[in-house]
Amino acid sequence: MGKARAAGARTKTPAGARGGGARPNPNPFEVKVNRQKFQVLGRKTRHDVGLPGVSRARAIQKRCQTLLKEYKDRDKSNVFVDKRFGEYNSNISLEEKMLKRFALEQQRQHEKKNIYNLNEDEELTHYGQSLADIEKHHDIVDSDSDTEERGALSAELTAAHFGGGGPLHEKPTPAPGKDGERPRSRKELIEELIAKSKQEKRERQAQREDALELTEKLDQDWREIQALLARRAPKPGNRDQERPTPDAYDVTVRELGFEMKAQPSNRMKTEEELAKEEQERLKNLEADRLRRMRGKDEDEDTKPKHTSADDLSDGFILDQDDRRLLSYKDGRMSIEEEQSGEASDREGAEDEGEDAGEGDAEDSSGSEGHADLDSDGESAGESERPGEEQRRASGHASPGGGGGAASTELPYVFAAPESCEDLKALLSGRPTEEQLLVLERIQKCHHPSLAVGNRAKLEKLFGFLLEYVGELATDEPPALGTIDKLVVQLYDLCQMFPESASSCMKFVLRDAMHEMEGVVEARGRARFPGLDVLIYLKIAGMLFPTSDFRHPVVTPALVCLSQLLTKCPVLSLQDAVKGLFVCCVFLDYVSLSGRLVPELINFLVGILYIAAPNSQSPGYTLVHPFRALGKNSELLLVSDERDVATWQRRHLALHWASGPPARTETEANHIRLSCLAVCLALVKRCVHMYGGLPSFHDIVRPLRALLTEHLASRSHPRELQELIRATLTDMETQEERCQPLICEKSRPVPLKLFTPRLVKVLEFGRKQGSSREEQERKRLMHKHRREFKGAVREIRKDNQFLARMQLAEAMERDAERKRKVKQLFNSLATQEGEWKALKRKKLKK
């Protein structure tokens, strides 16, 4: 019932009462009352009672007066702004405004343009033009005539062109001429005027040509006397004066001025282009070598030149002078003596020629071989050498002895080996330089960019070359110099094919490890491997990066090295040499990463122990493969003082590791002292590498005890004693650069107590625990937040209002368009009906 009454009351409300203005007698049913559940003292309440539509209507009315007006005037620019003085100031009377405006205008007119010009006067104008410009009479008259009086028209010309037609310009009555001649007509006067103007023009042209001739003559005369005027008599004082020497700056400027400018160079060739050029060069050299080996001349392969029928063949050169001097002796000609002398001379010359030819052949072969090494050793970018080498080779080799020299010469083109035996056949029996040259030519002739199958051939070449290096290491004696040179070729192939090189190296190391593990399982211990495995381990560290945390080749190599130091006992001098070589390789592996290798330290401790007399209580513990007592516990001990005195420190030769044992006891003692020197050098290197570790002193404690024992014995040479002292000094001076790892210190957890926790009761509705400044800051922040929210709300309402206005305009435009379209359709329909009615009438008629 209450809702029905409220609805009925709303229906009785007049329509005008719903406008934007306030109503004098509001409907009590529309009054909104904001009731509160309970009253709070000190709290201010707003809008307790009010009408729901009044505030909204007022807001809409205000937006219509401001925002809607700006929206409608957004594209209009015809706004008139009155900028006269005091126009919008209501405090100034009209008379004061006029006086002030007149004063400002006079001030603007009398204002000086230049503040430094004291003689500047007021400028007077007439019809907007300055009187000073008018007085100058600068009249511009455009005329094509070349007369001296420019802009002046004669009376005759004026009368001829502009005369007649009015009372002021009456045509003069023609007077009778002299001697009774008739007066001339207008046409005759104009022809006479034209003739005079042409005559004047010809005269001016003649004057201009005369002036030009005089000017040229004057210039010519001036050139003749100019040379005489340019030569000035030198002053007597200038002869004695010397020219000043230029300073360093002037000299540098002149040098830069005469410096050669940079010339454009050819572009850098790609790897494929360089490989192609190198292959062509080697093919040309090989063809030249085969030609010289068969004894063919260079001209035989070429086509014969065409000989003309008029050729007299007079372009020959005599090899020798066949003319003879005629002489008489005792009335007879001495022809036989000359012939016999010439024959003997000819035989001697032939003998000398043969000797010289043999010598030249030998020299040429030697020079050619050396030139080949030099040319192939150079970079591939120098592609201009093949022609020079061919000319040099063809020039040095004689036709008679060139075949033998070319047959012994190294070929330039080689086929890729299909097995290790093919590679041995190519390299065996040749010196090291020729072996390197053969491998280099194989790589150049079978570059991967030249053919599809060359990549597989070079990948196989790496494995064959690695196997060949192992065989060189097992020879007696091992060819260590050749192996050292072949490592460069292995490195080049490894850089070209790293995956295949790593697989080959892993295969070699895997075989060595399997063989050693089988021996250890069968006997419980294993001997040091041959020199080929040690060389493979050394090469692996040179070809692949050793500082990686994990590597497919280096990590197995490190495991192999550690197994060698722990599973292989030292039973002879060869084992000691091999073990020290493994230690050197191990240190090379970990030189960059700085890893701690316990097996290395234990092996060095064992080497120092077997080089000193055995003691009952050494103070340290030896680990496998060394024993405190036994057959080989004093393997490196030297007891002969004469051998100690004759020993000289040298590098430990690696061929001792695979060669036969020492022939004499003196040689064996020298090897023992050399092993001890190498061991001391490795200990010093370890001290420098691991000097900053926290447990450094614990690591080197056995080494320090052994070195002190060696120093106390005083049975070693002086060089070794100095090395021991230097190592001990380095051990003492090393400081811990790294702190040991410890657990982070944390505060102890307190025990639970029974003391009650006091919690401060907060008074809700107030800001607690803040100073006056803090409260003021919070109040401003709260006010800013509230105003910001209000501004965002008003902007949103403005956007909604504009959207409604735009929608209303669009709807109004659509309605107007529909109305016009409907009106057009109606008019068209009316016209169509009228036309049809007219047509019917015509048909009826």
Side-chain angles (χ1 to χ4, degrees), residues 152-168:
L153 298 178
S154 62
E156 298 176 357
L157 185 61
T158 304
H161 291 278
F162 306 103
L168 296 178

Side-chain angles (χ1 to χ4, degrees), residues 291 296-305:
R291 179 186 56 76
K296 295 182 179 179
D297 294 335
E298 188 175 0
D299 298 335
E300 293 181 6
D301 298 335
T302 60
K303 296 181 179 180
K305 296 183 179 180

Side-chain angles (χ1 to χ4, degrees), residues 226-489:
Q226 186 180 8
L228 300 177
L229 296 176
R231 296 178 182 176
R232 298 180 181 178
K235 297 181 179 181
N238 295 339
R239 296 180 179 177
D240 300 336
Q241 296 179 359
E242 297 181 357
R243 301 178 66 180
T245 57
D247 54 357
Y249 177 78
D250 295 338
V251 173
T252 306
V253 169
R254 292 177 183 175
E255 289 179 357
L256 292 176
F258 290 103
E259 189 176 6
M260 182 180 296
K261 303 298 187 295
Q263 299 294 334
S265 59
N266 298 330
R267 67 173 182 86
M268 296 183 64
K269 298 181 180 179
T270 61
E271 185 178 358
E272 290 77 8
E273 293 176 351
L274 294 176
K276 187 67 177 178
E277 291 182 359
E278 187 65 21
Q279 185 188 29
E280 294 295 334
R281 185 178 73 87
L282 293 178
K283 287 183 178 179
N284 295 334
L285 292 176
E286 178 64 14
D288 190 14
R289 187 188 69 85
L290 294 176
R291 179 186 56 76
R292 288 185 280 109
M293 183 177 65
R294 298 187 184 100
K296 295 182 179 179
D297 294 335
E298 188 175 0
D299 298 335
E300 293 181 6
D301 298 335
T302 60
K303 296 181 179 180
K305 296 183 179 180
H306 174 69
T307 305
S308 175
D310 299 333
D311 191 5
L312 300 179
S313 301
D314 54 353
F316 60 90
I317 300 176
L318 294 177
D319 296 335
Q320 58 183 355
D321 192 2
D322 296 336
R323 295 176 297 176
R324 300 177 182 178
L325 182 62
L326 182 61
S327 61
Y328 292 89
K329 185 176 182 182
D330 298 335
R332 298 175 61 184
M333 291 187 300
S334 58
I335 299 176
E336 296 179 359
E337 295 180 1
E338 292 289 339
Q339 291 178 354
S340 60
E342 289 176 0
S344 61
D345 294 342
R346 191 179 301 109
E347 292 176 359
E350 289 178 358
D351 297 338
E352 292 176 1
E354 291 177 359
D355 298 338
E358 295 177 359
D360 293 343
E362 295 175 359
D363 296 342
S364 62
S365 62
S367 61
E368 286 173 0
H370 187 66
D372 297 338
L373 292 177
D374 293 342
S375 63
D376 286 278
E378 292 177 356
S379 61
E382 299 178 359
S383 60
E384 292 82 2
R385 286 295 186 88
E388 297 179 4
E389 292 181 359
Q390 292 175 4
R391 289 192 299 270
R392 188 184 310 160
S394 61
H396 281 292
S398 59
S407 60
T408 58
E409 189 178 357
L410 187 66
Y412 293 92
V413 179
F414 293 91
E418 296 295 336
S419 62
C420 186
E421 286 73 15
D422 296 344
L423 183 63
K424 293 177 186 175
L426 290 175
L427 302 181
S428 60
R430 299 181 183 274
T432 305
E433 289 77 8
E434 290 189 3
Q435 294 184 19
L436 297 176
L437 193 57
V438 169
L439 292 173
E440 186 176 355
R441 290 179 178 177
I442 291 175
Q443 296 180 31
K444 290 180 180 179
C445 294
H446 302 85
H447 196 270
S449 62
L450 300 177
V452 179
N454 289 347
R455 182 181 181 86
K457 294 179 181 179
L458 293 184
E459 289 178 355
K460 293 180 182 179
L461 179 63
F462 181 85
F464 300 155
L465 186 59
L466 198 64
E467 185 177 353
Y468 178 70
V469 167
E471 293 186 2
L472 290 179
T474 56
D475 291 344
E476 286 294 338
L480 299 179
T482 304
I483 295 174
D484 190 19
K485 298 295 183 59
L486 292 178
V487 171
V488 180
Q489 303 296 330

Side-chain angles (χ1 to χ4, degrees), residues 184-199:
R184 290 177 295 179
S185 63
R186 178 183 177 84
K187 183 178 181 182
E188 294 175 353
L189 291 175
I190 291 175
E191 291 178 356
E192 183 180 358
L193 181 61
I194 293 174
K196 287 183 179 180
S197 61
K198 289 183 178 180
Q199 181 66 24

Side-chain angles (χ1 to χ4, degrees), residues 85-87 89-98 100:
F85 176 78
E87 184 63 26
N89 193 353
S90 60
N91 298 328
I92 305 175
S93 61
L94 183 58
E95 296 179 357
E96 293 179 355
K97 292 180 182 179
M98 300 302 292
K100 186 63 175 176

